[in-house]
Every structure is written in structure tokens, then in C-alpha cells.
Amino acid sequence: MEHETDCVRLGVLDNDPFALAMIAGMFKGRRDVKIMWTARNAAPAVQLCMNPATRPETLLVDMGLEGMSGIDVCVQIRRFLPDIRFIGMTAYSPDVYEADARDAGMECVLPKEDFPAVIGAVRGDLPIRKIHVNHNEDRGIGLSPRELEIMRCFSEGAAAKEVMAKLGISKGTLGSYESRAVKKLGARNRTEAVALCVRMHLFG
């Protein structure tokens, strides 16, 4: 039996009542995902995210809302709550939103009709095409999980060869991750990047 801590707390934002009903049915009866609330408008969804009692771990959000896009919702909430995961969904081509979604900090954008991919993305266990966070100059929260892991290794005093062995990556791959992390954080070098991560409590 799964424990409550193993259950993903999910919020769903979509202005289409049919889509909300469809999504609720998609997750009905699952013990690994709990829909905490659904909302048809951005304003109440933002308020529900800000309230610790109703704050989801993951927000599944339609990209085409009325008055405020899914991108706008993501940017607004992540300014205060960078730990919430954002998964976008759309009835159109996800590629249309890729650049903006990446910059806003969304994990991915998926077709609404691809139920297995949506469920897998919410659970965090499906190998889907990721749209990694790009950058956020104010909070420094733009590191991908891999980039953050490498910065964490360096913060613990590991040498490059040790990081390569631990993560099973080549020198070139390590250099690419390190370079992107340094750039996203606006740092001059690895040492400064690690210091910024520590200062912003990105390692937990």
C-alpha cells in the first residue's frame, strides 16, 4: 500500500469544463496521484497555490487560458514558489510553446490527448522530452536537475573526475553542464556558481 507521502499532490487549471472532467477521470482511483483541486480561472488557482493548505506539488496547466496564459501563471507562481513543478498541456502542437515554456520554468508541454504521457509526467517516471528551465536572474532557479546535481557534487568538494565517475558522464558532457549552470546563474566561474547555489539554498 502506498503512503500519503508517495502521493503526488496535483492542482489542475483549465478553462474548459470538459477538459477538467476528462483529467479528473484520468486520475480517478489512482493512489499515486491526488487531485487537490481543479480551477477554471487563473486567479483562484494562484491563490490556491499560495495557500500552504492547498498548495500542490505539481500544477497541470492548460497553455491557452482566458485573460492569462499558462506561461503567465507559471511565471507568477514560480516567482514566490520555485519548487512547484509545472506541466503544460495543449490541444495544439507543444512545439509552439517550447521556447516560452522553457524560459518560464515549465518542466514540459504535452498534448492533452496523450494520457499516458500526462500521467507519466505528473508521476515523474515517464521518459518524455523535457523542456528544462532556462534561467531566472532574480532567483537563480533555472538549473536543470542534472546541472544542480553537478553543482552539488562540486559544493561537496568532489573533483571533476569524481563527478564524472559518480554520474557516469564524459569530460565533455560534464563541461557542458557546468558551463550552462555557470551561465544561467550569471556567475564568472564554477566557484562563484557553487557559492550562489549555496547562498540561494538551491541544495535544500
Side-chain angles (χ1 to χ4, degrees), residues 75-88:
V75 170
Q76 182 170 334
I77 294 176
R78 282 183 64 86
R79 188 178 302 135
F80 303 100
L81 301 169
D83 293 332
I84 292 182
R85 297 172 61 230
F86 281 83
I87 297 172

Side-chain angles (χ1 to χ4, degrees), residues 100-167:
D100 289 338
R102 182 189 300 115
D103 288 341
M106 281 192 165
E107 185 169 313
C108 57
V109 179
L110 300 170
K112 279 188 181 182
E113 67 275 10
D114 193 345
F115 293 175
V118 172
I119 293 173
V122 169
R123 284 172 45 88
D125 61 2
L126 188 69
I128 59 175
R129 183 179 59 144
K130 296 284 187 178
I131 296 177
H132 290 302
V133 179
N134 186 14
H135 70 276
N136 184 309
E137 293 85 356
D138 294 330
R139 298 297 300 272
I141 58 176
L143 301 187
S144 71
R146 195 61 147 179
E147 291 161 356
L148 185 59
E149 186 177 20
I150 286 171
M151 290 295 102
R152 185 195 305 274
C153 289
F154 285 135
S155 76
E156 295 170 348
K161 287 185 178 180
E162 294 174 311
V163 178
M164 290 159 52
K166 179 180 179 180
L167 303 182

Side-chain angles (χ1 to χ4, degrees), residues 170-198:
S170 68
K171 182 177 181 180
T173 299
L174 175 63
S176 295
Y177 279 123
E178 178 184 335
S179 177
R180 287 200 297 269
V182 169
K183 183 177 179 180
K184 289 177 180 180
L185 290 163
R188 290 170 294 183
N189 50 45
R190 180 208 298 170
T191 301
E192 185 174 331
V194 169
L196 286 169
C197 287
V198 172

